[in-house]
Amino acid sequence: MLTLTPELITRHDVSGPRYTSYPTADQFQTTFGPTEQAQALSMRRLGIGSGHQPLSVYAHLPFCRSLCYYCACNKIVTKQYDKATNYLDHLLTELELTVDLLGKRESVAQVHLGGGTPTYYHDDDLTRLTRALQEAFDWQEEGEFAVEIDPRTVTYKRLHHLKLLGYNRLSFGVQDLDPLVQEAVHRVQSVSQVRTTLDHARALGFESINLDLIYGLPHQTPERFEQTLRSVVAMRPDRLAIYGYAHLPLRFKPQRRIDEAVLPDARNKIAMLALANHLLQDAGYVYIGMDHFALPNDSLSVAKRQGRLHRNFQGYSTQPDGDLVAFGVSAIGRMGPSYSQNVKTLDAYAQMLSQGQLPVERGYRLTREDLLRRAVIMSIMCQGRVDMESIESAHLIDFKRHFHQELKRLGELQEQGLVVVKPREFEVTELGWFFVRAVAMAFDAHLQNSRERQHRFSRIL
Ligand code: SF4
C-alpha cells in the first residue's frame, strides 16, 4: 500500500483534463452539428467506422428540487413539475429520431440516468422513460444499468420501483456528513438518511453502490472530514469517489452563495486528500485511479487487476470501449470517430426537436492522429500501461519516432518516480497512478499546442 503524503501532493499539484474523452470537450466545434451527427449514427447502422461493441446509453435529467451551493452541473432547480414532464416528452422525441437513424434494438451494455436529480421524476415518469429505452434498445442480461439518486428524494418503495424497472446500480452524493458543512452548502441529509438508503439498496439486491464525497467545502477541516470518512467507511459502499471542490464563482453562479472566508486553505485541502487516501486504503479499499476507490471484490477492482478498465463520460467502467449515445440537454456522446454535444438550454433543445432536428450544438471528428493519441491516453488512464508494439501495429507508426518528444517528457516523469519506461513499453508506477492525468497529458497534442488551456482544467488531485 502506498500512502500519499502532503509533500507528494504538493510536488505534483498541477491542473489538467480528466480525459473522459480525447480530445477533451473544449476542443469541440460548432462545424459539427445535427447533419454530422446523423451521418455518424447512420454509419454505425451500416457498420462503418464504429466498432461492433454494444452501445452505452446516457440520459441527462437536469431537474432538482433545491440548489446545492457547490454545484457545477447543468441543472434546473424548479418546483414546476410540468417543466420536467415537457422535457421528458422532448427527450423521447430525441430518442425516436436517434433510433430512426441508428436502427431499432441495438444491443446495450450500459445505461446511466444522470443529472440533475433523476429521482426528481415521479415513478410513473421514470417508468415511461425506462420502457421507451427498453423498447428502443436491447438491454443485455449482464449489463450495468445505473441511476444517480438523491437520498432526500427516495424511499424504499421508490428504490424497489427502480429495481423492478431493471436498474442494478446506484450512485449518490453524500459530499459530507457534518451538519455545519451541509448547512453551508445547502444540502442537508442526515447520517441515518444515508445509511438507511444504502441498507435499502442492499436489501433490494443492487449490485454496486457508489457514494460521492467532496473535500474542500466550507467549514471542512481534516478533523471534521475524518469523521465523515469514518462514518462512510463503516457503511461499506462498494465504490467511493472523492472529488476536490473547485471554487469558481465567476463560472458557476450557485457557488457565489458560498462564504469564501470559511473555505479550507490549500494546505488543509491537501491534508484531507492525503487522509482520505490513507484511511480508505487502510479500510481495504483499492485505489482505482482518478478519485475512485472500490472494495476488492467490486467489478471495478477486478477489472483493474485484470487490465480491463475502460473510461467514458461517466468515469471508469468495466464495459468494453464503445459508442455512447447520449440524450438530453448538454449530453455528450461518442459515435465511431466522433463526439457530439447537445445544446445546453431547455428552449434551444425543445426548439430543435420540434423542428425534427437532432439537438446537437457542437462536436468533433477525430483525425488519424487524434485516434492514435486517444488509444495511448486511454491505455494510460485505464491500464496504466502502454504496449508500444500493439499501438504500432494498430496505427501503423514507429512509436519511438512518432512520440520522440513525448518520450522525452516521460523521461522526466520517470525521474519523479511516476512511470517506468522499458524498451517496448512504459508503465505507470504505484505512485504514478495518483498522478495519472499528468502522465496522460504528455500525449495530449491539443494541450501541448496551447499551454494556457491547461489552466482551464481542475487540479489533477
Ligand atoms: S449537486 Fe446535484 S442535486 Fe445539487 S443542485 Fe447540483 S445537480 Fe442538483
Side-chain angles (χ1 to χ4, degrees):
M1 182 179 95
L2 182 99
T3 304
L4 270 188
T5 60
E7 294 70 38
L8 269 176
I9 298 171
T10 308
R11 187 168 172 207
H12 298 284
D13 186 24
V14 293
S15 305
R18 304 176 65 80
Y19 293 116
T20 48
S21 68
Y22 179 80
T24 46
D26 63 317
Q27 291 298 305
F28 295 1
Q29 295 146 3
T30 49
T31 46
F32 188 106
T35 311
E36 290 70 22
Q37 176 64 358
Q39 274 168 4
L41 292 166
S42 305
M43 299 278 254
R44 176 168 171 116
R45 183 181 203 154
L46 297 170
I48 306 168
S50 289
H52 298 284
Q53 300 290 357
L55 276 177
S56 293
V57 170
Y58 174 74
H60 189 71
L61 306 173
F63 297 93
C64 300
R65 287 208 185 281
S66 74
L67 180 69
C68 311
Y69 296 163
Y70 55 81
C71 184
C73 305
N74 182 13
K75 57 22 202 89
I76 294 142
V77 180
T78 180
K79 294 205 165 44
Q80 293 171 266
Y81 191 74
D82 56 331
K83 272 196 179 180
T85 47
N86 285 342
Y87 174 79
L88 192 52
D89 292 341
H90 293 306
L91 194 143
L92 297 184
T93 306
E94 187 190 3
L95 173 64
E96 249 176 65
L97 288 177
T98 304
V99 171
D100 279 350
L101 293 157
L102 199 56
K104 230 179 169 188
R105 307 299 296 159
E106 274 257 18
S107 194
V108 160
Q110 209 176 22
V111 173
H112 191 104
L113 304 188
T117 310
T119 47
Y120 177 95
Y121 280 99
H122 301 159
D123 285 352
D124 52 348
D125 281 321
L126 285 173
T127 304
R128 190 155 71 98
L129 169 64
T130 307
R131 293 290 176 242
L133 290 171
Q134 285 166 341
E135 206 177 297
F137 302 109
D138 179 16
W139 291 29
Q140 287 195 336
E141 216 159 284
E142 300 294 307
E144 297 180 356
F145 308 119
V147 193
E148 291 172 14
I149 58 160
D150 181 339
R152 299 169 301 171
T153 60
V154 293
T155 56
Y156 180 86
K157 204 164 148 267
R158 298 213 69 198
L159 292 180
H160 188 223
H161 185 74
L162 290 171
K163 192 79 197 351
L164 289 178
L165 286 178
Y167 295 99
N168 54 19
R169 276 146 205 277
L170 295 176
S171 176
F172 56 103
V174 171
Q175 326 312 358
D176 195 302
L177 290 168
D178 188 294
L180 186 65
V181 178
Q182 291 191 351
E183 288 281 351
V185 297
H186 200 240
R187 188 185 173 110
V188 177
Q189 52 192 26
S190 66
V191 180
S192 71
Q193 203 169 21
V194 173
R195 192 181 301 119
T196 305
T197 308
L198 201 88
D199 289 347
H200 286 164
R202 280 218 185 90
L204 286 164
F206 282 93
E207 285 163 35
S208 184
I209 302 162
N210 174 75
L211 299 192
D212 291 342
L213 296 178
I214 301 181
Y215 66 92
L217 292 175
H219 294 295
Q220 275 181 336
T221 60
E223 295 71 29
R224 284 171 183 279
F225 195 53
E226 182 171 351
Q227 292 308 315
T228 288
L229 285 167
R230 290 198 183 281
S231 304
V232 166
V233 159
M235 296 178 203
R236 298 305 274 177
D238 305 279
R239 298 177 186 180
L240 268 165
I242 319 254
Y243 300 109
Y245 170 63
H247 189 61
L248 300 166
L250 290 180
R251 227 167 112 198
F252 304 113
K253 232 170 152 190
Q255 297 185 355
R256 292 177 201 165
R257 302 194 191 198
I258 285 183
D259 179 2
E260 293 186 2
V262 291
L263 283 173
D265 61 16
R267 193 176 49 87
N268 273 316
K269 272 183 81 174
I270 285 171
M272 283 187 265
L273 175 62
L275 177 75
N277 175 265
H278 174 71
L279 213 136
L280 291 181
Q281 292 198 78
D282 223 22
Y285 282 86
V286 174
Y287 180 70
I288 302 296
M290 289 273 312
D291 326 311
H292 287 78
F293 296 81
L295 287 175
N297 56 353
D298 184 85
S299 57
L300 267 191
S301 300
V302 176
K304 177 159 183 182
R305 278 198 296 278
Q306 297 175 346
R308 288 188 297 103
L309 265 191
H310 295 281
R311 195 155 173 76
N312 61 25
F313 292 103
Q314 278 72 57
Y316 283 107
S317 159
T318 58
Q319 297 297 321
D321 217 11
D323 291 344
L324 165 73
V325 52
F327 303 104
V329 283
S330 71
I332 301 181
R334 165 183 160 167
M335 199 52 57
S338 68
Y339 293 112
S340 66
Q341 182 168 31
N342 279 352
V343 291
K344 297 192 184 77
T345 66
L346 291 188
D347 286 347
Y349 185 66
Q351 197 189 351
M352 289 182 82
L353 285 163
S354 60
Q355 291 167 355
Q357 270 192 315
L358 290 171
V360 173
E361 180 176 77
R362 57 189 193 135
Y364 191 95
R365 191 168 281 144
L366 281 82
T367 62
R368 266 191 71 186
E369 182 66 19
D370 290 326
L371 290 167
L372 161 65
R373 286 177 184 265
R374 174 163 84 180
V376 174
I377 285 176
M378 290 306 159
S379 190
I380 294 169
M381 296 297 293
C382 301
Q383 323 318 334
R385 178 178 172 273
V386 172
D387 177 347
M388 298 181 200
E389 264 165 35
S390 51
I391 295 285
E392 283 177 337
S393 52
H395 295 268
L396 305 175
I397 54 146
D398 177 330
F399 196 98
K400 287 192 172 154
R401 189 175 302 162
H402 196 95
F403 290 119
H404 177 67
Q405 286 302 332
E406 288 76 0
L407 286 169
K408 262 197 199 163
R409 270 196 292 279
L410 277 194
E412 291 160 25
L413 296 174
Q414 179 160 246
E415 278 168 28
Q416 296 172 19
L418 304 191
V419 286
V420 175
V421 185
K422 297 178 188 163
R424 299 308 301 157
E425 66 171 28
F426 66 88
E427 210 169 343
V428 176
T429 62
E430 208 180 335
L431 170 63
W433 262 108
F434 292 104
F435 307 95
V436 68
R437 281 154 93 172
V439 182
M441 280 157 66
F443 289 86
D444 184 338
H446 298 278
L447 200 63
Q448 308 309 335
N449 290 341
S450 168
R451 272 280 153 201
E452 68 274 12
R453 273 188 61 228
Q454 190 174 326
H455 302 294
R456 283 192 240 143
F457 296 101
S458 58
R459 318 299 292 173
I460 66 171
L461 277 170

